[in-house]
């Protein structure tokens, strides 16, 4: 039995300490309790621009040290991998510097502000031979893994329809301030790059590549109070000054997939009453499946082979030991939550680094997602369908 001290170490340096920084810190801290890994994570350093904030985060989340300059962090010789949770405009610069220092990189979605930057990041990572991943966390939930298994085993047959939503309502209030996600120069886009990105990645994961897309979008509220103090997705608004919203509040698009399926997508922050309804419903020649993040342990399924008198959608609670990842947590029916997807990602990424186990989504998947995002934006400009491979 190898003692804990003899095991390989993966020493992590993380950039960002707010929402995603907290979710990722929890994952590094928890993963070893529930998963047998070929290496142990060492939470070596967390980085943030605000010294007081990052010092408090380091103490609270369990990081050994803290930095206020990511350039120092990525150059430290006591760090093996860099986890990037900074806003989207910083992803490329930090990733390229980390890669240049020979670090493996795990980056939050979307991978970059645009397709060209994403491709540059992929090329650099492949050339340097470092491991690279993008945190499309919803792939890593037991019910979504089950959906993938059902489709891959042909249990719902040929796919006719893929319908996806990502419905939130945190911006319906005109008083919600101009957070970084509402500024194009920082976020790249609004609901589209932030949450359609998840829908696009799940569609690619579950049924394959996009062929062509055509979209439309809206910015319902064009100016908002400036942000005085950030908190969660929004924060406290300035009492006096206002600023222009430079991104989409909602983007919808139609898609044709290379396998012939028809796609319908909508991502919005104005779906009043819907808080985090990342959903997909897939209809095939032999059956259908439906999943909703707001009920993330459940998968609704319909199989045409059922006896006619018993035919109907039924709910599978994906908390059995046969359901990927579920068995590592609790006994049957003791459900898991949003944060567990991140634990599963860092588990898989540790095995990718320490045991060269396969891993996806990598920067390649980040590029493919960016390609679809930009094809939709181009289709809106042109008012016409755009083939994804044209970009
Ligand atoms: C806000 O839309 C947000 O936090 C996204 O940025 C995340 O990627 C998503 O998982 C939840 O909602």
């Amino acid at each position: 039995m190898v003692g804990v001290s003899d095991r390989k170490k993966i020493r992590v340096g993380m950039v960002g300490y707010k929402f995603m920084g907290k979710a990722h810190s929890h994952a590094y801290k928890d993963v070893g309790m529930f998963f047998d890994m070929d290496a142990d994570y060492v939470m070596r350093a967390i980085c943030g621009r605000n010294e007081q904030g990052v010092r408090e985060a380091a103490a609270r989340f369990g990081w050994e040290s803290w930095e206020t300059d990511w350039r120092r962090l990525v150059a430290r010789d006591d760090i093996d991998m860099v986890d990037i949770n900074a806003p989207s405009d910083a992803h490329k610069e930090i990733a390229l510097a980390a890669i240049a220092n020979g670090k493996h990189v795990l980056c939050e979605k979307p991978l970059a502000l645009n397709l060209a930057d994403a491709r540059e990041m992929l090329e650099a990572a492949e050339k340097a031979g470092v491991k690279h991943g993008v945190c499309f966390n919803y792939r890593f939930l037991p019910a979504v893994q089950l959906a993938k298994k059902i489709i891959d085993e042909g249990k719902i047959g040929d796919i006719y329809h893929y319908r996806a939503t990502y419905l939130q309502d945190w911006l319906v209030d005109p008083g919600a301030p101009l957070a970084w996600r509402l500024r194009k120069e920082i976020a790249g886009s609004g609901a589209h790059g932030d949450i359609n990105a998840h829908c696009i990645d799940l569609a690619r994961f579950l049924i394959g590549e996009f062929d062509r897309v055509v979209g439309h979008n809206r910015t319902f509220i064009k100016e908002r109070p400036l942000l005085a103090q950030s908190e969660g997705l929004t924060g406290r608004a300035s009492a006096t000054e206002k600023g222009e919203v430079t991104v989409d509040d909602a983007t919808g698009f139609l898609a044709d997939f290379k396998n012939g399926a028809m796609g319908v997508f909508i991502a919005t922050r104005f779906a009043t009453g819907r808080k985090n309804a990342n959903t997909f419903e897939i209809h095939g020649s032999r059956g259908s499946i439906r999943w909703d993040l707001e009920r993330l342990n459940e998968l609704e399924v319909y199989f045409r082979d059922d006896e006619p008198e018993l035919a109907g959608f039924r709910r599978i609670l994906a908390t059995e030991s046969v359901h990927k990842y579920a068995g590592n947590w609790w006994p049957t029916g003791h459900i898991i939550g949003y944060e567990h997807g991140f634990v599963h990602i860092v588990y898989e990424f540790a095995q990718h680094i320490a045991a060269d186990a396969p891993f996806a989504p990598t920067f390649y998947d980040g590029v493919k997602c960016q390609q679809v995002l930009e094809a939709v934006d181009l289709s809106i400009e042109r008012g016409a369908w755009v083939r994804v491979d044209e970009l």
Side-chain angles (χ1 to χ4, degrees):
M1 171 69 180
V2 173
V4 173
S5 59
D6 303 337
R7 289 156 52 93
K8 283 185 204 170
K9 303 289 183 214
I10 302 173
R11 302 165 298 173
V12 187
M14 189 165 81
V15 182
Y17 63 92
K18 295 199 174 167
F19 177 13
M20 283 298 111
K22 192 177 218 178
H24 290 218
S25 298
H26 165 265
Y28 292 119
K29 208 167 180 181
D30 244 13
V31 64
M33 281 178 64
F34 295 90
F35 290 83
D36 296 329
M37 302 192 296
D38 288 48
D40 295 318
Y41 279 117
V42 175
M43 296 171 70
R44 185 52 45 95
I46 187 170
C47 180
R49 284 170 293 193
N50 177 290
E51 180 174 332
Q52 183 189 346
V54 74
R55 289 172 72 119
E56 288 169 2
R60 185 168 189 178
F61 300 164
W63 291 87
E64 292 176 357
S65 64
W66 51 271
E67 297 277 358
T68 55
D69 179 355
W70 62 262
R71 292 165 188 80
R72 273 176 46 88
L73 180 93
V74 300
R76 283 177 53 163
D77 57 14
D78 63 343
I79 282 171
D80 307 304
M81 79 171 258
V82 174
D83 183 344
I84 304 171
N85 295 311
S88 309
D89 63 326
H91 290 184
K92 173 185 160 186
E93 194 179 13
I94 297 171
L96 293 182
I99 291 164
N101 282 285
K103 312 302 184 187
H104 306 300
V105 179
L106 187 60
C107 186
E108 262 297 330
K109 41 55 60 185
L111 180 59
L113 283 181
N114 56 59
L115 180 56
D117 286 357
R119 282 178 164 148
E120 188 179 345
M121 294 162 78
L122 172 60
E123 187 181 347
E126 288 181 330
K127 194 171 175 186
V130 297
K131 305 295 190 187
H132 47 94
V134 185
C135 273
F136 286 116
N137 51 302
Y138 299 115
R139 290 187 181 208
F140 296 84
L141 293 169
V144 176
Q145 290 283 327
L146 178 60
K148 170 89 174 147
K149 188 171 185 289
I150 288 170
I151 293 167
D152 288 354
E153 290 175 352
K155 289 190 168 73
I156 63 167
D158 298 328
I159 309 296
Y160 297 132
H161 293 284
Y162 190 99
R163 249 185 348 274
T165 74
Y166 207 133
L167 310 177
Q168 299 174 336
D169 70 356
W170 56 281
L171 286 178
V172 167
D173 173 5
L178 199 70
W180 70 263
R181 284 184 170 88
L182 303 179
R183 298 172 53 190
K184 186 173 179 62
E185 71 277 13
I186 299 176
S189 64
H192 193 42
D194 182 29
I195 46 183
N196 252 338
H198 281 298
C199 297
I200 291 164
D201 180 69
L202 280 178
R204 290 190 58 251
F205 174 59
L206 291 167
I207 72 162
E209 299 299 347
F210 287 78
D211 179 31
R212 64 175 192 155
V213 293
V214 64
H216 62 162
N217 64 13
R218 289 289 185 286
T219 302
F220 295 110
I221 295 177
K222 308 240 188 271
E223 68 170 8
R224 291 181 175 274
L226 292 186
L227 183 67
Q229 174 61 40
S230 74
E231 181 59 41
L233 298 178
T234 57
R236 185 166 50 80
S238 154
T240 52
E241 297 177 271
K242 287 204 166 191
E244 183 190 2
V245 175
T246 52
V247 296
D248 58 295
D249 287 327
T251 296
F253 66 95
L254 301 178
D256 285 344
F257 288 88
K258 290 190 173 174
N259 65 7
M262 296 172 73
V264 180
F265 294 74
I266 179 72
T268 179
R269 293 149 166 178
F270 281 70
T272 311
R274 293 294 181 203
K275 302 305 174 182
N276 215 11
N278 175 5
T279 73
F280 55 78
E281 183 157 356
I282 307 169
H283 302 291
S285 56
R286 295 181 59 202
S288 296
I289 47 181
R290 185 179 191 281
W291 177 75
D292 181 346
L293 170 59
E294 293 183 359
R295 304 170 71 107
L296 67 82
N297 292 281
E298 303 171 19
L299 190 70
E300 290 179 64
V301 295
Y302 179 97
F303 298 115
R304 290 187 64 218
D305 297 345
D306 284 349
E307 293 173 47
E309 66 181 355
L310 301 179
F313 273 95
R314 61 177 186 272
R315 179 186 71 120
I316 299 172
L317 195 58
T319 59
E320 303 302 314
S321 56
V322 292
H323 298 128
K324 192 169 182 183
Y325 306 123
N328 286 74
W329 293 96
W330 317 116
T332 176
H334 294 60
I335 54 175
I336 63 171
Y338 166 77
E339 70 277 19
H340 294 79
F342 295 95
V343 179
H344 305 155
I345 287 180
V346 300
Y347 160 66
E348 298 290 3
F349 201 62
Q351 296 303 98
H352 186 46
I353 292 172
D356 206 23
F359 180 87
T362 67
F363 281 14
Y364 170 77
D365 299 288
V367 166
K368 295 300 286 180
C369 179
Q370 213 75 42
Q371 198 180 22
V372 176
L373 289 169
E374 285 196 15
V376 172
D377 286 337
L378 185 55
S379 78
I380 293 169
E381 276 177 41
R382 292 182 180 170
W385 284 88
V386 169
R387 286 213 179 290
V388 171
D389 290 343
E390 179 187 327
L391 277 73

